[in-house]
Amino acid sequence: MTLDSKDSFVFEPAPRAVVPVVGGGLFPVRRIFCVARNYAAHAREMGSDPSREAPFFFTKPADAVLPINTGQIGEFPYPQASEDVHHELELVVALGSGGVDLSAEEAAKCIWGYAVGLDMTRRDLQAEAKAKGRPWDIAKAFDASAPISPILPAAGEVLRSGEIRLDVNGVLRQRGDLADMIWSIPEIIAFFSRYYRLQAGDLIFTGTPEGVGPVAVGDRLHGAVAGVGAFDLTVVSR
């Protein structure tokens, strides 16, 4: 429904989730879609066989974003109810428009920009959910589970290659190339448009390369995607 002049909130609504934009401005977040197993080596390290049958995905709430400003060190609060939290570095696509049943060509025109993000995962809770055939929400959709760098405007530009890497305490943990993705960016956007009406403000985490692993309080993470950006954050106690 939409509000009219006679409507009023029963309590003050929460602020809109936003991500800073390189050069100034704020990107309002609508939804967060996440592609799983989009790098063959990562699919194998998680015990799956990579294929192009169909993308496998999950979602996070918009307020899961944890913006990390350029030149600052962000803080990721170690989440409750878990003792095995893992990092998963990803390229993030920000949409400036959308639609339904888009072709790959139409999907590319929806791209507004890119960022570097982390899909933080409560791996112990994910393993439990997998064993019981349950959804992954409890493992993926918790507070601050989507740290993200400022968004770099790049309207209609399709990234097809470029290094993606994560260092933890100065030691390389994850390294790959965007060219290694099983599903290209336009294909991913087109896929989601078959099941949802995509709109401006949607974010898509495009998958992680191999090397995912645990983090501990005090760890310093540096993530980067060539030509897009980088971030630094420290894992802190809640």
Side-chain angles (χ1 to χ4, degrees), residues 1-236:
M1 63 173 290
T2 57
L3 300 178
D4 60 34
S5 59
K6 297 179 181 179
D7 291 318
S8 61
F9 294 109
V10 297
F11 55 83
E12 191 66 23
R16 181 75 177 268
V18 297
V19 177
V21 173
V22 175
L26 297 172
F27 184 91
V29 181
R30 178 174 175 267
R31 288 179 174 174
I32 301 176
F33 300 96
C34 304
V35 182
R37 305 168 189 164
N38 197 30
Y39 289 76
H42 172 61
R44 294 189 187 100
E45 77 176 347
M46 298 304 292
S48 300
D49 292 324
S51 73
R52 279 180 56 88
E53 275 188 29
F56 175 67
F57 70 96
F58 53 91
T59 63
K60 293 176 184 276
D63 61 2
V65 292
L66 176 64
I68 306 170
N69 291 319
T70 302
Q72 298 182 4
I73 300 175
E75 292 187 344
F76 169 74
Y78 200 96
Q80 71 269 35
S82 177
E83 296 182 357
D84 189 22
V85 177
H86 283 208
H87 58 74
E88 298 190 14
L89 184 69
E90 315 210 0
L91 171 72
V92 182
V93 182
L95 301 188
S97 61
V100 296
D101 293 326
L102 301 172
S103 66
E105 292 74 20
E106 293 169 331
K109 297 177 182 178
C110 297
I111 298 169
W112 191 89
Y114 295 97
V116 188
L118 281 169
D119 164 27
M120 300 303 287
T121 303
R122 295 192 282 204
R123 192 71 76 201
D124 46 0
L125 300 187
Q126 184 187 35
E128 181 180 347
K130 285 181 177 180
K132 295 180 179 179
R134 294 176 178 175
W136 294 1
D137 300 61
I138 196 169
K140 294 287 192 177
F142 57 91
D143 297 339
S145 61
I148 186 171
S149 74
I151 296 172
L152 177 70
E157 182 179 345
V158 177
L159 298 184
R160 301 190 184 278
S161 64
E163 183 185 55
I164 176 171
R165 67 176 290 159
L166 178 75
D167 296 276
V168 179
N169 300 324
V171 178
L172 178 65
R173 281 277 190 91
Q174 291 186 263
R175 185 177 186 179
D177 195 284
L178 301 181
D180 299 332
M181 290 196 295
I182 297 171
W183 294 87
S184 70
I185 293 167
E187 288 174 330
I188 290 169
I189 298 171
F191 168 78
F192 280 120
S193 76
R194 281 192 257 157
Y195 301 95
Y196 303 90
R197 177 176 292 279
L198 299 179
Q199 295 186 32
D202 289 338
L203 296 178
I204 299 177
F205 283 60
T206 58
T208 191
E210 66 180 316
V212 301
V215 298
V217 173
D219 282 350
R220 173 79 174 266
L221 282 66
H222 175 78
V225 176
V228 173
F231 66 77
D232 290 277
L233 67 78
T234 299
V235 180
V236 299

